[in-house]
Amino acid sequence: MVERPYTLLSCGMSIDGYLDDATRDRLLLSNEADFDRVDAVRAGCDAILVGAATIRQDNPRLLVRSAERRAARVARGEAPHPLKVTVTGRCDIDPAAKFFTVGDVDKLVYCASGSCGSARQKLGEVATVIDGGDPVDLHRVTADLAGRGVRRLMVEGGGTMHTQFLTAGLADELQLVVAPFFVGDSRAPRFVSDGDFPWGPGRRAGLAEVRQIGDVVLLRYALSDRFVQSSHKS
């Protein structure tokens, strides 16, 4: 059996299931207390993965914010921040994005086979470009990450990445935060898109925790039998 990291999906959405609205401004779906909770989860992971679309749209830093948590990582013999990982088919990513330029940590780009050459020319100075298959195969990606020492992987979006990890059966845990408002615009991105999900009416996901955090609620789901082994780390 090919090893893969314990994989945790983290997402915030509106009551009606949207990750954002249809404007150019980023929609804040959480609050400071929950941002701090997410920071703690990040600090306990070996790598954070987002899709290329999330880099283009949100320009995330993907760093551990707390100096105390960074120091604790260093004391454990780890880098201050988790490894940054992205997945792309066309490599339509700006090398000046914060994903690449912020944080003294390695960055990995898993690219479709046909785009690897151009991706290395474009991003070779700011990241390690890896052939992810054609199209990119997440089983291959997660196996490669395991081979690089990643034991715990946090997937922070966007909807395409969430959908692909869930439909591929590669998610062990889902941490879903629901914001107390509606977006109500079908042009906006949703938490997941259409797909053949392992969980349906005949196989319900296990609800492991419900927690109110200020005006949002955290729903934590166990998606595999690996959940119990790693639940104490989040």
Side-chain angles (χ1 to χ4, degrees):
M1 179 178 177
V2 177
E3 288 292 325
R4 67 169 179 83
Y6 181 90
T7 302
L8 179 158
L9 273 58
S10 177
C11 179
M13 70 177 192
S14 63
I15 292 174
D16 49 346
Y18 289 98
L19 299 177
D20 203 345
D21 56 23
T23 69
R24 292 186 176 182
D25 297 328
R26 183 186 175 195
L27 179 67
L28 292 181
L29 290 155
S30 195
N31 54 42
E32 280 303 316
D34 187 59
F35 287 140
D36 187 65
R37 178 195 65 83
V38 171
D39 194 59
V41 176
R42 282 183 179 176
C45 291
D46 301 305
I48 302 172
L49 183 150
V50 295
T54 297
I55 295 175
R56 289 192 295 269
Q57 293 163 11
D58 297 341
N59 197 21
R61 294 160 52 90
L62 302 180
L63 302 177
V64 175
R65 297 195 302 175
S66 164
E68 193 173 300
R69 292 180 184 128
R70 293 196 301 270
R73 285 179 58 89
V74 172
R76 296 195 298 265
E78 302 171 356
H81 307 283
L83 186 72
K84 296 186 190 182
V85 184
T86 191
V87 176
T88 179
R90 298 174 287 114
C91 194
D92 182 18
I93 315 174
D94 185 353
K98 292 177 182 176
F99 177 94
F100 300 110
T101 61
V102 178
D104 184 15
V105 64
D106 290 339
K107 295 93 180 176
L108 303 182
V109 177
Y110 289 90
C111 188
S113 301
S115 300
C116 278
S118 58
R120 289 189 178 107
Q121 287 185 342
K122 185 176 185 180
L123 303 174
E125 293 186 2
V126 294
T128 300
V129 176
I130 303 160
D131 187 343
D134 196 9
V136 175
D137 180 354
L138 290 181
H139 291 87
R140 181 168 169 172
V141 169
T142 54
D144 186 78
L145 286 172
R148 295 172 185 269
V150 174
R151 297 156 299 165
R152 189 169 176 86
L153 172 66
M154 183 178 185
V155 179
E156 291 201 32
T160 298
M161 284 290 95
H162 290 317
T163 301
Q164 290 181 1
F165 270 90
L166 290 166
T167 56
L170 292 172
D172 300 297
E173 177 177 343
L174 170 62
Q175 295 187 7
L176 187 64
V177 167
V178 182
F181 56 80
F182 296 83
V183 170
D185 188 341
S186 61
R187 297 172 299 170
R190 299 190 70 91
F191 162 45
V192 292
S193 52
D194 294 350
D196 184 12
F197 295 90
W199 307 273
R203 185 192 175 195
R204 295 172 180 246
L207 180 60
E209 181 185 357
V210 178
R211 190 195 320 170
Q212 181 177 350
I213 306 172
D215 63 349
V216 304
V217 62
L218 167 67
L219 303 174
R220 190 161 169 240
Y221 291 94
L223 302 181
S224 83
D225 57 7
R226 305 172 78 193
F227 176 84
V228 175
Q229 300 174 28
S230 301
S231 61
H232 68 282
K233 294 184 181 179
S234 61

